[in-house]
Amino acid sequence: MIYHSIRFTTKPDASPEQLEVALESLRNQGRVIPSVKSFIVGRDHGGDYEWAATFVLEDLDGYWEYLIHPAHLNTDRVGLPLVDKFVSFDITDDLDPELGTKIAELHKRRYDTMPDIQKLVSDLGEYSGSAAPGKHGE
């Protein structure tokens, strides 16, 4: 299993209404993407971030389906413009020592084939995670 998690803080000018649209889009991902086995979206406590989400995926095929699903792309498009600081990471019980590299390759493939998504991530104030594009990956 792969537990894909994100943590983020919004820009000061993000309205409560815009934030709720983005959070509901995250929840919708969990409900409609077939490869998502379970999920949680909510407040992040005990760190430097305001919000977080975790999506449980069975394998790399499911991870790819998750990354390119229209519901996930919608969240990117409505949510990322509101985000200042963002981190994504994965926790897995798979002992494959190459799994992290394989996950990074999925992200890189998505950025390479979806320039609008790559730009949204590249324009974040701060981003760390798999295959960070643009200034974040340098």
Side-chain angles (χ1 to χ4, degrees), residues 1-4 54-60 63 89-94 99 103:
M1 298 301 275
I2 303 167
Y3 290 70
H4 174 66
T54 298
F55 298 89
V56 181
L57 307 159
E58 214 167 306
D59 54 25
L60 290 172
Y63 202 119
F89 60 95
D90 300 288
I91 302 168
T92 181
D93 58 359
D94 188 321
L99 191 65
I103 290 171

PDB file of all heavy atoms in Angstrom, residues 1-4 54-60 63 89-94 99 103:
ATOM      1  N   MET A   1       0.841  -1.181   0.000  1.00  0.00           N
ATOM      2  CA  MET A   1       0.000   0.000   0.000  1.00  0.00           C
ATOM      3  C   MET A   1       0.886   1.243   0.000  1.00  0.00           C
ATOM      4  O   MET A   1       1.963   1.246   0.591  1.00  0.00           O
ATOM      5  CB  MET A   1      -0.891   0.010   1.233  1.00  0.00           C
ATOM      6  CG  MET A   1      -1.858  -1.158   1.323  1.00  0.00           C
ATOM      7  SD  MET A   1      -2.984  -1.299  -0.058  1.00  0.00           S
ATOM      8  CE  MET A   1      -4.260  -0.201   0.434  1.00  0.00           C
ATOM      9  N   ILE A   2       0.385   2.282  -0.631  1.00  0.00           N
ATOM     10  CA  ILE A   2       1.077   3.564  -0.676  1.00  0.00           C
ATOM     11  C   ILE A   2       0.145   4.608  -0.069  1.00  0.00           C
ATOM     12  O   ILE A   2      -0.994   4.764  -0.520  1.00  0.00           O
ATOM     13  CB  ILE A   2       1.450   3.965  -2.118  1.00  0.00           C
ATOM     14  CG1 ILE A   2       2.312   2.880  -2.782  1.00  0.00           C
ATOM     15  CG2 ILE A   2       2.161   5.319  -2.130  1.00  0.00           C
ATOM     16  CD1 ILE A   2       2.472   3.047  -4.288  1.00  0.00           C
ATOM     17  N   TYR A   3       0.637   5.303   0.931  1.00  0.00           N
ATOM     18  CA  TYR A   3      -0.101   6.394   1.560  1.00  0.00           C
ATOM     19  C   TYR A   3       0.489   7.697   1.025  1.00  0.00           C
ATOM     20  O   TYR A   3       1.574   8.096   1.439  1.00  0.00           O
ATOM     21  CB  TYR A   3       0.018   6.314   3.078  1.00  0.00           C
ATOM     22  CG  TYR A   3      -0.726   5.139   3.667  1.00  0.00           C
ATOM     23  CD1 TYR A   3      -0.273   3.831   3.474  1.00  0.00           C
ATOM     24  CD2 TYR A   3      -1.886   5.331   4.395  1.00  0.00           C
ATOM     25  CE1 TYR A   3      -0.957   2.752   3.996  1.00  0.00           C
ATOM     26  CE2 TYR A   3      -2.582   4.255   4.929  1.00  0.00           C
ATOM     27  CZ  TYR A   3      -2.113   2.966   4.727  1.00  0.00           C
ATOM     28  OH  TYR A   3      -2.793   1.896   5.247  1.00  0.00           O
ATOM     29  N   HIS A   4      -0.225   8.299   0.091  1.00  0.00           N
ATOM     30  CA  HIS A   4       0.231   9.542  -0.531  1.00  0.00           C
ATOM     31  C   HIS A   4      -0.339  10.703   0.270  1.00  0.00           C
ATOM     32  O   HIS A   4      -1.566  10.836   0.399  1.00  0.00           O
ATOM     33  CB  HIS A   4      -0.221   9.611  -1.989  1.00  0.00           C
ATOM     34  CG  HIS A   4       0.081  10.918  -2.635  1.00  0.00           C
ATOM     35  ND1 HIS A   4       1.378  11.347  -2.858  1.00  0.00           N
ATOM     36  CD2 HIS A   4      -0.731  11.909  -3.084  1.00  0.00           C
ATOM     37  CE1 HIS A   4       1.337  12.540  -3.428  1.00  0.00           C
ATOM     38  NE2 HIS A   4       0.075  12.910  -3.566  1.00  0.00           N
ATOM     39  N   THR A  54      -4.462  12.676   2.943  1.00  0.00           N
ATOM     40  CA  THR A  54      -3.787  11.415   2.655  1.00  0.00           C
ATOM     41  C   THR A  54      -4.730  10.544   1.839  1.00  0.00           C
ATOM     42  O   THR A  54      -5.917  10.429   2.168  1.00  0.00           O
ATOM     43  CB  THR A  54      -3.381  10.682   3.950  1.00  0.00           C
ATOM     44  OG1 THR A  54      -2.458  11.500   4.672  1.00  0.00           O
ATOM     45  CG2 THR A  54      -2.731   9.340   3.653  1.00  0.00           C
ATOM     46  N   PHE A  55      -4.185   9.950   0.780  1.00  0.00           N
ATOM     47  CA  PHE A  55      -4.931   9.059  -0.093  1.00  0.00           C
ATOM     48  C   PHE A  55      -4.206   7.717  -0.113  1.00  0.00           C
ATOM     49  O   PHE A  55      -3.008   7.661  -0.365  1.00  0.00           O
ATOM     50  CB  PHE A  55      -5.026   9.635  -1.508  1.00  0.00           C
ATOM     51  CG  PHE A  55      -5.759  10.947  -1.530  1.00  0.00           C
ATOM     52  CD1 PHE A  55      -5.079  12.141  -1.357  1.00  0.00           C
ATOM     53  CD2 PHE A  55      -7.132  10.976  -1.667  1.00  0.00           C
ATOM     54  CE1 PHE A  55      -5.754  13.351  -1.336  1.00  0.00           C
ATOM     55  CE2 PHE A  55      -7.819  12.183  -1.646  1.00  0.00           C
ATOM     56  CZ  PHE A  55      -7.132  13.373  -1.476  1.00  0.00           C
ATOM     57  N   VAL A  56      -4.930   6.642   0.171  1.00  0.00           N
ATOM     58  CA  VAL A  56      -4.350   5.305   0.220  1.00  0.00           C
ATOM     59  C   VAL A  56      -4.549   4.641  -1.136  1.00  0.00           C
ATOM     60  O   VAL A  56      -5.679   4.513  -1.625  1.00  0.00           O
ATOM     61  CB  VAL A  56      -4.992   4.463   1.346  1.00  0.00           C
ATOM     62  CG1 VAL A  56      -4.366   3.078   1.394  1.00  0.00           C
ATOM     63  CG2 VAL A  56      -4.840   5.173   2.687  1.00  0.00           C
ATOM     64  N   LEU A  57      -3.426   4.216  -1.719  1.00  0.00           N
ATOM     65  CA  LEU A  57      -3.413   3.608  -3.052  1.00  0.00           C
ATOM     66  C   LEU A  57      -2.748   2.242  -2.957  1.00  0.00           C
ATOM     67  O   LEU A  57      -1.794   2.066  -2.194  1.00  0.00           O
ATOM     68  CB  LEU A  57      -2.638   4.515  -4.016  1.00  0.00           C
ATOM     69  CG  LEU A  57      -3.114   5.971  -4.042  1.00  0.00           C
ATOM     70  CD1 LEU A  57      -2.040   6.886  -4.587  1.00  0.00           C
ATOM     71  CD2 LEU A  57      -4.400   6.082  -4.823  1.00  0.00           C
ATOM     72  N   GLU A  58      -3.228   1.309  -3.749  1.00  0.00           N
ATOM     73  CA  GLU A  58      -2.736  -0.058  -3.643  1.00  0.00           C
ATOM     74  C   GLU A  58      -1.358  -0.271  -4.267  1.00  0.00           C
ATOM     75  O   GLU A  58      -0.536  -1.005  -3.730  1.00  0.00           O
ATOM     76  CB  GLU A  58      -3.740  -1.011  -4.298  1.00  0.00           C
ATOM     77  CG  GLU A  58      -3.793  -2.339  -3.600  1.00  0.00           C
ATOM     78  CD  GLU A  58      -5.002  -3.143  -4.040  1.00  0.00           C
ATOM     79  OE1 GLU A  58      -6.132  -2.642  -3.958  1.00  0.00           O
ATOM     80  OE2 GLU A  58      -4.765  -4.283  -4.462  1.00  0.00           O
ATOM     81  N   ASP A  59      -1.104   0.383  -5.413  1.00  0.00           N
ATOM     82  CA  ASP A  59       0.126   0.097  -6.139  1.00  0.00           C
ATOM     83  C   ASP A  59       0.440   1.250  -7.092  1.00  0.00           C
ATOM     84  O   ASP A  59      -0.280   2.253  -7.133  1.00  0.00           O
ATOM     85  CB  ASP A  59       0.012  -1.224  -6.902  1.00  0.00           C
ATOM     86  CG  ASP A  59      -1.205  -1.293  -7.827  1.00  0.00           C
ATOM     87  OD1 ASP A  59      -1.707  -0.232  -8.267  1.00  0.00           O
ATOM     88  OD2 ASP A  59      -1.667  -2.415  -8.104  1.00  0.00           O
ATOM     89  N   LEU A  60       1.499   1.097  -7.869  1.00  0.00           N
ATOM     90  CA  LEU A  60       1.914   2.153  -8.793  1.00  0.00           C
ATOM     91  C   LEU A  60       0.896   2.401  -9.906  1.00  0.00           C
ATOM     92  O   LEU A  60       0.721   3.544 -10.329  1.00  0.00           O
ATOM     93  CB  LEU A  60       3.282   1.826  -9.394  1.00  0.00           C
ATOM     94  CG  LEU A  60       4.458   1.910  -8.419  1.00  0.00           C
ATOM     95  CD1 LEU A  60       5.729   1.382  -9.080  1.00  0.00           C
ATOM     96  CD2 LEU A  60       4.658   3.334  -7.926  1.00  0.00           C
ATOM     97  N   TYR A  63      -1.586   4.545  -8.394  1.00  0.00           N
ATOM     98  CA  TYR A  63      -1.003   5.874  -8.177  1.00  0.00           C
ATOM     99  C   TYR A  63      -1.078   6.691  -9.463  1.00  0.00           C
ATOM    100  O   TYR A  63      -1.460   7.856  -9.449  1.00  0.00           O
ATOM    101  CB  TYR A  63       0.450   5.709  -7.715  1.00  0.00           C
ATOM    102  CG  TYR A  63       1.046   6.870  -6.975  1.00  0.00           C
ATOM    103  CD1 TYR A  63       1.497   6.727  -5.668  1.00  0.00           C
ATOM    104  CD2 TYR A  63       1.213   8.114  -7.563  1.00  0.00           C
ATOM    105  CE1 TYR A  63       2.072   7.782  -4.976  1.00  0.00           C
ATOM    106  CE2 TYR A  63       1.791   9.173  -6.886  1.00  0.00           C
ATOM    107  CZ  TYR A  63       2.221   9.000  -5.597  1.00  0.00           C
ATOM    108  OH  TYR A  63       2.799  10.053  -4.920  1.00  0.00           O
ATOM    109  N   PHE A  89       4.479  13.703   0.132  1.00  0.00           N
ATOM    110  CA  PHE A  89       5.354  12.589   0.472  1.00  0.00           C
ATOM    111  C   PHE A  89       4.543  11.306   0.478  1.00  0.00           C
ATOM    112  O   PHE A  89       3.316  11.330   0.504  1.00  0.00           O
ATOM    113  CB  PHE A  89       6.055  12.809   1.822  1.00  0.00           C
ATOM    114  CG  PHE A  89       5.118  12.962   2.986  1.00  0.00           C
ATOM    115  CD1 PHE A  89       4.777  11.874   3.775  1.00  0.00           C
ATOM    116  CD2 PHE A  89       4.571  14.200   3.291  1.00  0.00           C
ATOM    117  CE1 PHE A  89       3.900  12.015   4.845  1.00  0.00           C
ATOM    118  CE2 PHE A  89       3.709  14.354   4.360  1.00  0.00           C
ATOM    119  CZ  PHE A  89       3.366  13.260   5.138  1.00  0.00           C
ATOM    120  N   ASP A  90       5.259  10.189   0.445  1.00  0.00           N
ATOM    121  CA  ASP A  90       4.620   8.883   0.390  1.00  0.00           C
ATOM    122  C   ASP A  90       5.203   7.973   1.461  1.00  0.00           C
ATOM    123  O   ASP A  90       6.415   7.966   1.692  1.00  0.00           O
ATOM    124  CB  ASP A  90       4.828   8.263  -0.994  1.00  0.00           C
ATOM    125  CG  ASP A  90       4.242   9.131  -2.079  1.00  0.00           C
ATOM    126  OD1 ASP A  90       3.003   9.182  -2.172  1.00  0.00           O
ATOM    127  OD2 ASP A  90       5.009   9.783  -2.814  1.00  0.00           O
ATOM    128  N   ILE A  91       4.317   7.217   2.089  1.00  0.00           N
ATOM    129  CA  ILE A  91       4.709   6.206   3.063  1.00  0.00           C
ATOM    130  C   ILE A  91       4.198   4.876   2.526  1.00  0.00           C
ATOM    131  O   ILE A  91       3.051   4.789   2.064  1.00  0.00           O
ATOM    132  CB  ILE A  91       4.093   6.493   4.445  1.00  0.00           C
ATOM    133  CG1 ILE A  91       4.517   7.871   4.940  1.00  0.00           C
ATOM    134  CG2 ILE A  91       4.481   5.398   5.443  1.00  0.00           C
ATOM    135  CD1 ILE A  91       3.753   8.359   6.150  1.00  0.00           C
ATOM    136  N   THR A  92       5.039   3.850   2.550  1.00  0.00           N
ATOM    137  CA  THR A  92       4.632   2.577   1.981  1.00  0.00           C
ATOM    138  C   THR A  92       5.182   1.417   2.796  1.00  0.00           C
ATOM    139  O   THR A  92       6.232   1.534   3.436  1.00  0.00           O
ATOM    140  CB  THR A  92       5.092   2.452   0.515  1.00  0.00           C
ATOM    141  OG1 THR A  92       4.653   1.204  -0.007  1.00  0.00           O
ATOM    142  CG2 THR A  92       6.591   2.558   0.388  1.00  0.00           C
ATOM    143  N   ASP A  93       4.466   0.302   2.733  1.00  0.00           N
ATOM    144  CA  ASP A  93       4.957  -0.933   3.336  1.00  0.00           C
ATOM    145  C   ASP A  93       5.637  -1.824   2.297  1.00  0.00           C
ATOM    146  O   ASP A  93       6.095  -2.913   2.608  1.00  0.00           O
ATOM    147  CB  ASP A  93       3.827  -1.687   4.046  1.00  0.00           C
ATOM    148  CG  ASP A  93       2.667  -2.031   3.127  1.00  0.00           C
ATOM    149  OD1 ASP A  93       2.696  -1.688   1.927  1.00  0.00           O
ATOM    150  OD2 ASP A  93       1.695  -2.644   3.621  1.00  0.00           O
ATOM    151  N   ASP A  94       5.747  -1.340   1.074  1.00  0.00           N
ATOM    152  CA  ASP A  94       6.438  -2.060   0.001  1.00  0.00           C
ATOM    153  C   ASP A  94       7.939  -1.938   0.239  1.00  0.00           C
ATOM    154  O   ASP A  94       8.458  -0.833   0.384  1.00  0.00           O
ATOM    155  CB  ASP A  94       6.050  -1.448  -1.345  1.00  0.00           C
ATOM    156  CG  ASP A  94       6.567  -2.246  -2.533  1.00  0.00           C
ATOM    157  OD1 ASP A  94       7.706  -2.755  -2.474  1.00  0.00           O
ATOM    158  OD2 ASP A  94       5.836  -2.328  -3.535  1.00  0.00           O
ATOM    159  N   LEU A  99      11.139   1.953  -5.072  1.00  0.00           N
ATOM    160  CA  LEU A  99       9.783   2.481  -5.149  1.00  0.00           C
ATOM    161  C   LEU A  99       9.750   4.010  -5.141  1.00  0.00           C
ATOM    162  O   LEU A  99       8.993   4.618  -5.889  1.00  0.00           O
ATOM    163  CB  LEU A  99       8.901   1.929  -4.027  1.00  0.00           C
ATOM    164  CG  LEU A  99       7.421   2.236  -4.200  1.00  0.00           C
ATOM    165  CD1 LEU A  99       6.850   1.541  -5.436  1.00  0.00           C
ATOM    166  CD2 LEU A  99       6.637   1.834  -2.972  1.00  0.00           C
ATOM    167  N   ILE A 103       7.963   6.271  -8.003  1.00  0.00           N
ATOM    168  CA  ILE A 103       6.935   7.278  -7.727  1.00  0.00           C
ATOM    169  C   ILE A 103       7.356   8.621  -8.313  1.00  0.00           C
ATOM    170  O   ILE A 103       6.557   9.313  -8.954  1.00  0.00           O
ATOM    171  CB  ILE A 103       6.659   7.370  -6.218  1.00  0.00           C
ATOM    172  CG1 ILE A 103       5.936   6.111  -5.740  1.00  0.00           C
ATOM    173  CG2 ILE A 103       5.847   8.628  -5.888  1.00  0.00           C
ATOM    174  CD1 ILE A 103       5.814   5.991  -4.235  1.00  0.00           C
TER     175      ILE A 103
END
